[in-house]
Amino acid sequence: MSYPTQQFHPQIYIGGKWCDAQSDQRASIINPATEELLGEVAMAGKADVHAAVSAAVAAKAAWADTSGQVRAGYLRAIAQAVLAQRDQLAQLQTANNGKPLAEAAIDVEDVIATFNYYADLAAELDAEQDQQVSLPSSDYRANLRREPCGVVGLIVPWNFPMVTAAWKVAPALAAGCTVVLKPSEITPLPELALAAIIDQVRLPAGVFNLVTGSGAEVGAALVAHPGLSKVSFTGSTAIGSAVMKSAADDLKGVSLELGGKSAALVFADADIEAALDIVCGGIFFNCGQMCSATSRLLVDKSIAENFIARLKQRIETIVVGDPLASATQMGPITSAQQYQRVQQYIQQGLASGARLLTGGGRPADLLKGYFLAPTVFTEVPLDSAIWREEIFGPVLCVNTFDTEDEAVRIANDSDFGLVATLLTGDEQRAARVSAALQVGLVWVNSGQVIFPQTSWGGMKKSSIGRELGPWGMHAFQEIKHVISAVRK
Ligand code: NDP
């Protein structure tokens, strides 16, 4: 199978038009599986950010005044157009990000489900508006209104480019906000394709704007722009903290979806065959480049020897290679920079005294592309960097536990608190441990399924706020109460 050759717009999208960035600079977009050039996109600057925010400000009042039903119509049209182009969109995402085509197809389905879900919520808004609140006094009446919070800046990373964008764009538009989206400079092509779809469905000019360019210039200028009411950011904890500091200068709202170092806990009473699949999926899906990667595995000591031996066997059969080939189970890391970063962590792991069980380098048959064999360390020191820091690559760190309390204590001993996976045949244990884990989402005997109806986000340094579900839309709404004295 050859790589997709379909065109993408190399320009930025402002005020309902494709336009050139004000500088002549362009960025090269690389296919991580081949290290070849996919194309070039505009490197926008501060002036372009200003133009995009101005277009969003100009469109704000009219979009906020549309009914939820009208906004729902646009969101459904976007979902339908994504559906109509799903194969091309999956291929484009694979070419730019490197994930296997089957995984890219799951992302596209998620984008469709997200736009449809927020279309439903937008449609319900009209009936919910001005709902009466029950009061302890009959002398007053109080009504609740939810209003769009204004112009919002949306900044997303490269690991799930279309999905992270959809999780922000769909609820923001549903709420009645106008938006400026900044994709990662590594993977802007899927978002440029989404912008083309939004253009195709004729969303009113200025409601959606997209500016490509670097985080340091475009991202920082967007966060600092006084025309924004709010910034919704998904990315690393370090940049999330910088975003929050900058937004604090003029007290903008922020929602942050940041890193993770999540745990999978395997108890002796688990279905071992299913647990092996779930553990592999939790760290090797998307080449481990998931905020929710369960990169710390805790196994009950009584089954550890056998479980780890079977895990090694299974991991060594994972097919790494061309992400367009149907047999491939793991593609390359998405960028040269991330490839280097993960390799540095592997060196740190070796230096820490952890035992390399499998992997650790480039598969011998893959001479080009940012490929790395699935890697596992056991006996990992609990104070080492590979145990404590987010690696964001296909590297699993394994330790054992004696008791349930110890498993929970080690799992919770992290700066992060995004998700956890719990593998046990005991329902009471599942309830107890789920309640004790300091995370935003627990999967029990399940792979990482995500529904637009349930929340996404975590505790501690993993998140501020929640995406998806009604919470994802509430993040883009202001609450207003109108209290009236009742005439008697
Ligand atoms: P980064 O924090 O490096 O970048 C995220 C986005 O922020 C990119 O668009 C980037 O632009 C932009 N950016 C960079 N610097 C600034 C700045 N100073 N001001 C404003 N924006 C800026 O993260 P990665 O792209 O490397 O993504 C990986 C991280 O994302 C991981 O930590 C992962 O855990 C997290 N993530 C969290 C998710 C969650 O739901 N909790 C989901 C997915 C990922 P550019 O790329 O152009 O530099």
Side-chain angles (χ1 to χ4, degrees), residues 171-184:
L173 297 184
C177 294
T178 56
V179 313
V180 178
L181 173 66
K182 186 236 162 304
S184 162

Side-chain angles (χ1 to χ4, degrees), residues 38-307:
L38 279 168
E40 290 188 328
V41 300
M43 282 295 268
K46 266 189 186 167
D48 303 298
V49 169
H50 183 64
V53 174
S54 303
V57 169
K60 176 173 104 165
W63 184 245
D65 271 355
T66 53
S67 68
Q69 286 288 354
V70 165
R71 299 200 292 269
Y74 284 110
L75 293 177
R76 288 209 180 94
I78 295 169
Q80 263 166 20
V82 172
L83 177 65
Q85 298 178 30
R86 66 176 161 191
D87 293 345
Q88 300 95 303
L89 289 170
Q91 285 176 25
L92 186 63
Q93 203 176 228
T94 289
N96 197 171
N97 165 282
K99 62 183 71 195
L101 204 47
E103 293 186 16
I106 295 174
D107 285 9
V108 177
E109 293 305 323
D110 185 306
V111 171
I112 296 166
T114 301
F115 276 98
N116 277 327
Y117 172 72
Y118 283 108
D120 290 346
L121 289 203
E124 286 165 16
L125 275 176
D126 299 336
E128 285 168 4
Q129 202 62 297
D130 291 318
Q131 250 175 22
Q132 207 164 326
V133 179
S134 107
L135 296 177
S137 163
S138 58
D139 296 339
Y140 296 94
R141 195 181 64 231
N143 294 80
L144 164 65
R145 293 182 58 75
R146 286 188 190 272
E147 298 183 354
C149 69
V151 177
V152 293
L154 312 177
I155 301 178
V156 296
W158 44 261
N159 60 336
F160 288 94
M162 241 193 309
V163 169
T164 48
W167 287 11
K168 296 186 191 303
V169 172
L173 297 184
C177 294
T178 56
V179 313
V180 178
L181 173 66
K182 186 236 162 304
S184 162
E185 65 190 300
I186 296 163
T187 56
L189 305 191
E191 282 95 335
L192 284 165
L194 185 65
I197 282 173
I198 288 174
D199 184 57
Q200 180 193 324
V201 305
R202 297 186 183 281
L203 194 72
V207 171
F208 170 90
N209 307 275
L210 178 144
V211 187
T212 49
S214 77
E217 178 140 8
V218 169
L222 184 58
V223 175
H225 200 291
L228 295 191
S229 307
K230 168 148 197 172
V231 177
S232 178
F233 170 88
T234 299
S236 62
T237 300
I239 303 289
S241 168
V243 164
M244 197 166 173
K245 284 188 188 115
S246 168
D249 282 344
D250 52 4
L251 293 171
K252 288 184 188 85
V254 288
S255 290
L256 305 175
E257 283 304 331
L258 309 173
K261 189 73 187 178
S262 299
L265 285 65
V266 183
F267 289 90
D269 52 25
D271 172 342
I272 299 301
E273 203 55 38
L276 288 165
D277 279 344
I278 290 168
V279 166
C280 287
I283 183 64
F284 300 123
F285 192 86
N286 208 26
C287 206
Q289 303 168 122
M290 297 184 286
C291 50
S292 59
T294 36
S295 50
R296 293 183 299 148
L297 172 63
L298 287 164
V299 188
D300 192 316
K301 205 173 264 168
S302 66
I303 57 160
E305 194 180 335
N306 178 261
F307 188 85

Side-chain angles (χ1 to χ4, degrees), residues 468-488:
L468 296 182
W471 312 278
M473 191 171 68
H474 293 166
F476 295 109
Q477 290 172 316
E478 293 283 7
I479 286 182
K480 181 188 278 179
H481 280 98
V482 179
I483 301 179
S484 318
V486 174
R487 277 197 180 169
K488 299 243 167 149

